[in-house]
Amino acid sequence: MIALFGGTFDPVHYGHLRPLLEVKQALALNQVRLIPAFIPPHRDTPGAEVTHRLAMLRLGVAQVPGFVIDERELRRGGRSYSVDTLQSLRDEIGAATPLCLIMGLDAFAGLASWHEWQRLTELAHLVIAQRPGAELPGSGPVAELMATARARHAAELQQQPAGKLWFQEVTQLEISATAIRAERARGGDIRFLVPDSVRQYIETRGLYQHQEG
Ligand code: ATP
């Protein structure tokens, strides 16, 4: 089974990488495609240029078996809607192959604001990793989706191409790219929050040295 994991990766950090590896192991995924957004729909313009975000992501996933960077959103340009990305991958793999979209719980909680969000579960399963500080919605359309689509066993994801939700327990790392950028802006040390190769890249190029707007 293959899975997608989209993000701004501004920069990639251990809060992305460790939970992702745990999801990969728990679901015995053959491949995880990390997909950097060109223009993320839900947030401000990224702090670092796309070339830097991509270079850091390459450093972050270097030599991790089964982790692959997929540049389709960068090639496509414009706003990076997950539904378009899923559709293009679905067109490649065919209608019958199971496909998972991995996201953190904070992202899932806001799912109803995503472009054509109801189509997401037509195209893929949603695999949700816990994230510190994020909570499941108690009511509303996302809560309704949980009530109807939640899988009881991970094996259910293999039995149909799309449409199920799976919540995966992962090591809780309270790391965010926002906090990393803020640490850099106040001249702090970001060691142990990101892979050392990524830290060196950030320091060498002087990224994130200025306070965000
Ligand atoms: P920012 O702070 O700039 O908003 P971020 O750290 O949330 O960035 P993104 O690249 O926006 O990182 O996130 C991509 C995906 O990774 C999202 O699905 C998000 O929920 C998930 N994610 C990010 N950090 C963590 C974390 N510490 N634990 C679990 N999931 C995470």
Side-chain angles (χ1 to χ4, degrees), residues 25-116:
Q25 293 183 132
L27 300 180
L29 299 171
N30 308 95
Q31 190 184 72
V32 176
R33 291 184 180 228
L34 293 97
I35 308 191
F38 184 64
I39 301 176
H42 285 286
R43 36 167 292 169
D44 298 340
T45 312
E49 300 286 333
V50 64
T51 48
H52 289 316
R53 291 189 288 122
L54 180 58
M56 292 187 285
L57 191 56
R58 287 201 179 115
L59 291 169
V61 308
Q63 285 150 26
V64 181
F67 279 21
V68 169
I69 298 171
D70 182 322
E71 297 177 34
R72 73 185 64 216
E73 291 188 354
L74 306 183
R75 285 196 299 269
R76 195 164 71 222
R79 290 195 171 274
S80 301
Y81 293 120
S82 294
V83 69
D84 297 335
T85 304
L86 283 175
Q87 183 68 63
S88 79
L89 199 67
R90 182 50 83 196
D91 292 344
E92 283 171 23
I93 66 174
T97 308
L99 180 63
C100 297
L101 176 63
I102 304 172
M103 65 185 74
L105 183 51
D106 59 312
F108 176 71
L111 196 72
S113 69
W114 292 26
H115 184 59
E116 297 185 36

Side-chain angles (χ1 to χ4, degrees), residues 8-11 40 43-50 52-53 56 181 207-210 212:
T8 317
F9 304 117
D10 188 24
R43 36 167 292 169
D44 298 340
T45 312
E49 300 286 333
V50 64
H52 289 316
R53 291 189 288 122
M56 292 187 285
R181 295 192 300 271
L207 301 185
Y208 310 122
Q209 276 174 320
H210 304 290
E212 290 179 31

Side-chain angles (χ1 to χ4, degrees), residues 108-125:
F108 176 71
L111 196 72
S113 69
W114 292 26
H115 184 59
E116 297 185 36
W117 74 276
Q118 272 122 334
R119 281 187 57 218
L120 298 171
T121 46
E122 293 171 15
L123 292 162
H125 300 299

